[in-house]
Amino acid sequence: MSEKKVKKKDSNELLNFLMIIVGLLFIFKAVMEFLAWAGIYAPGWLTGSGVDEALSIFGGQGIVSLLLGFWCLISGIGMFKEEEYAMGMGLVVLSIMAAVGIIAIVGWISAPGSFDLTYWPNYVTIVAAIVGVLGFVWLIFTYKRYD
């Protein structure tokens, strides 16, 4: 008798959780932007000059943040099941997160006065950039588990 080795798939739970959390943050930010735009509710961090800064994170429009958050959430959930679609979506979402985050960070480095230490969405940008870069590289090196 020949024994068949069953290859057990095991996704990186940390990356999956981070994608879900970042996706939820994107969705939260988009909902807050929509509420402020509609004049229903404007949180303190989204008033005055903060509006322009908030709208510049992860795309200039709330709809971009909402879509990116939605697909990041779906991809993070799908990667728990080692689904091929989730890996493809993950690569796209992570590369966008990395690109937008890196552009923002380079802007802050070139104009240090533009970085506000008290503005929490700036830290979301930094975390998203790190997750985007490291997650993208991780998925490239572990793509076979999604076959």
Side-chain angles (χ1 to χ4, degrees):
M1 285 182 147
S2 65
E3 289 183 30
K4 289 184 180 180
K5 290 188 177 183
V6 177
K7 183 180 171 185
K8 182 181 177 189
K9 293 182 176 183
D10 183 28
S11 68
N12 184 334
E13 288 82 11
L14 178 60
L15 177 60
N16 303 351
F17 281 122
L18 288 174
M19 287 188 70
I20 290 169
I21 291 168
V22 170
L24 290 172
L25 286 172
F26 287 162
I27 291 169
F28 172 75
K29 180 187 160 297
V31 168
M32 291 295 108
E33 288 176 6
F34 285 131
L35 291 174
W37 172 78
I40 297 170
Y41 174 73
W45 58 270
L46 194 57
T47 57
S49 64
V51 174
D52 293 334
E53 292 174 17
L55 296 176
S56 69
I57 299 173
F58 309 121
Q61 303 168 15
I63 192 72
V64 173
S65 292
L66 183 62
L67 289 172
L68 189 56
F70 176 76
W71 292 120
C72 193
L73 184 65
I74 297 298
S75 178
I77 292 169
M79 286 196 317
F80 274 113
K81 297 178 181 178
E82 303 289 342
E83 298 288 342
E84 288 182 53
Y85 77 86
M87 190 254 189
M89 287 172 47
L91 287 172
V92 171
V93 169
L94 291 167
S95 65
I96 292 170
M97 286 172 27
V100 172
I102 289 169
I103 290 168
I105 291 169
V106 167
W108 293 328
I109 291 170
S110 64
S114 65
F115 184 80
D116 183 359
L117 291 170
T118 62
Y119 187 65
W120 70 266
N122 288 343
Y123 297 102
V124 174
T125 301
I126 293 168
V127 169
I130 293 168
V131 169
V133 169
L134 296 178
F136 184 85
V137 171
W138 176 260
L139 284 180
I140 292 294
F141 285 116
T142 62
Y143 74 93
K144 289 189 183 224
R145 70 176 61 194
Y146 298 95
D147 289 340

